[in-house]
Amino acid sequence: MLRRMLLPLASTALLALLAVLCPAQGCVRTAPGWTAQAAARFWTPERMAGSMPASGRRLSPVAKAATASAASGPPGSAVHFAGVPTVGVLFSIGDDLAAHYCTASVVHSPGRDLILTAAHCEPGADIGFVPQYRAGADRQPHGIWAVDKVFTDPRWAPDDDAASDYDVAFARVRPDGHGRRVEDVTGANRLARTPGYHNRVTVIGYPQLSSDPADRAITCTTTTERLDERHQLRLACDGFFDGTSGSPWLLDYDVRTGTGTVIGLIGGLGGGGPTDRISYSPVFADPVLALFRTANRA
């Protein structure tokens, strides 16, 4: 199941700013005129509240229990909670003013300005990242951050099963209007190589409004395994509808700090899995770590 909506067309002005470069290690997209201030002016809390739900298959709603801990939900089911500053949503500009369409997370980096999501989310030049997004009056508790550059493996290609092993993207976000880096505001998860196919992880994501009217973060703690004979992981947990692509898989998650070590994300084969219950992830190995180094050097 594709865990994201099709992106709306960007505005003509932003498309005019878009430049695409493809070095040997990763793809870089830049939008010089897209700043945190521009993102905040466009995606006001009022406009977010009035944005249209993303179109797509509507599935049975996730369990409505509200909790601050993944351990409080029934086994194998995601639960709503208040979210954490290191995980948020991606918004894009388009004529239909579509609501958030993918999930992303902050990863620790020397520049303190990198987020991680799935490559099939296409986090291009007109994207804003909202950490710990939540419904209500305060939809941007930590601001909105403009994506500056995007890095994907050159072997990644949509609708290519073999390329789904590389369904990972890093994006650099611009400083906010006070000159702060995103990691200084939200903290960050650590990035690490996937230690094996069997791991106990906590997954945090944001389903689209069309699939989950609560419009809140969800979380689930469960065990991963190998996806058939592929170099990918799978897990079973209800509730990860469209919109949760890019949701981080966190090892050693600390509920007190809301952080952990990210060793995977919802992505890979079929855009992240066939249903809201079964999710996939590429294995984080040498290609992902090399892409991370490229993002840090650029």
Side-chain angles (χ1 to χ4, degrees):
M1 181 180 73
L2 190 65
R3 301 296 178 85
R4 52 148 291 196
M5 58 170 278
L6 294 178
L7 280 178
L9 291 176
S11 65
T12 302
L14 283 170
L15 281 176
L17 294 169
L18 179 61
V20 179
L21 305 174
C22 289
Q25 288 288 341
C27 221
V28 180
R29 296 171 181 161
T30 63
W34 182 236
T35 64
Q37 295 93 319
R41 285 195 299 270
F42 184 88
W43 277 115
T44 62
E46 293 76 20
R47 182 167 278 167
M48 285 183 174
S51 62
M52 299 294 293
S55 61
R57 180 167 54 171
R58 184 180 177 87
L59 302 172
S60 57
V62 69
K64 293 299 188 289
T67 181
S69 170
S72 300
S77 294
V79 294
H80 290 105
F81 79 131
V84 293
T86 60
V87 182
V89 297
L90 298 178
F91 277 87
S92 67
I93 288 180
D95 293 338
D96 58 357
L97 294 185
H100 56 86
Y101 71 95
C102 267
T103 300
S105 60
V106 184
V107 291
H108 176 62
S109 64
R112 308 181 69 80
D113 57 0
L114 289 184
I115 61 174
L116 170 70
T117 190
H120 75 258
C121 287
E122 300 178 11
D126 57 346
I127 303 300
F129 171 62
V130 181
Q132 204 173 7
Y133 167 85
R134 55 196 180 200
D138 186 13
R139 293 174 182 266
Q140 305 172 21
H142 309 288
I144 183 168
W145 302 77
V147 168
D148 179 18
K149 297 182 180 179
V150 179
F151 306 84
T152 59
D153 192 291
R155 290 164 288 191
W156 157 251
D159 304 318
D160 182 340
D161 287 355
S164 67
D165 287 345
Y166 308 104
D167 189 11
V168 174
F170 294 96
R172 176 177 297 157
V173 297
R174 295 179 182 274
D176 69 4
H178 303 287
R180 298 177 299 179
R181 303 288 178 172
V182 65
E183 188 176 332
D184 296 327
V185 175
T186 65
N189 297 305
R190 299 169 298 279
L191 179 75
R193 185 184 300 270
T194 305
Y197 290 112
H198 299 283
N199 309 281
R200 187 73 172 169
V201 297
T202 295
V203 185
I204 299 172
Y206 283 86
Q208 291 175 358
L209 184 61
S210 58
S211 298
D212 182 4
D215 202 23
R216 299 179 65 196
I218 61 170
T219 184
C220 180
T221 298
T222 189
T223 302
T224 68
E225 61 185 15
R226 186 171 187 174
L227 172 59
D228 299 327
E229 299 302 317
R230 293 185 175 274
H231 196 50
Q232 296 186 25
L233 306 176
R234 73 183 294 276
L235 59 75
C237 187
D238 292 325
F240 286 90
F241 303 100
D242 290 351
T244 57
S245 283
S247 297
W249 295 19
L250 300 170
L251 192 67
D252 300 325
Y253 176 71
D254 187 335
V255 296
R256 296 168 300 174
T257 64
T259 62
T261 300
V262 58
I263 62 167
L265 54 75
I266 292 183
L269 188 65
T275 69
D276 71 294
R277 176 168 175 76
I278 303 300
S279 298
Y280 301 153
S281 171
V283 167
F284 284 12
D286 289 346
V288 172
L289 299 182
L291 185 62
F292 179 66
R293 291 192 293 271
T294 296
N296 282 305
R297 290 195 302 264

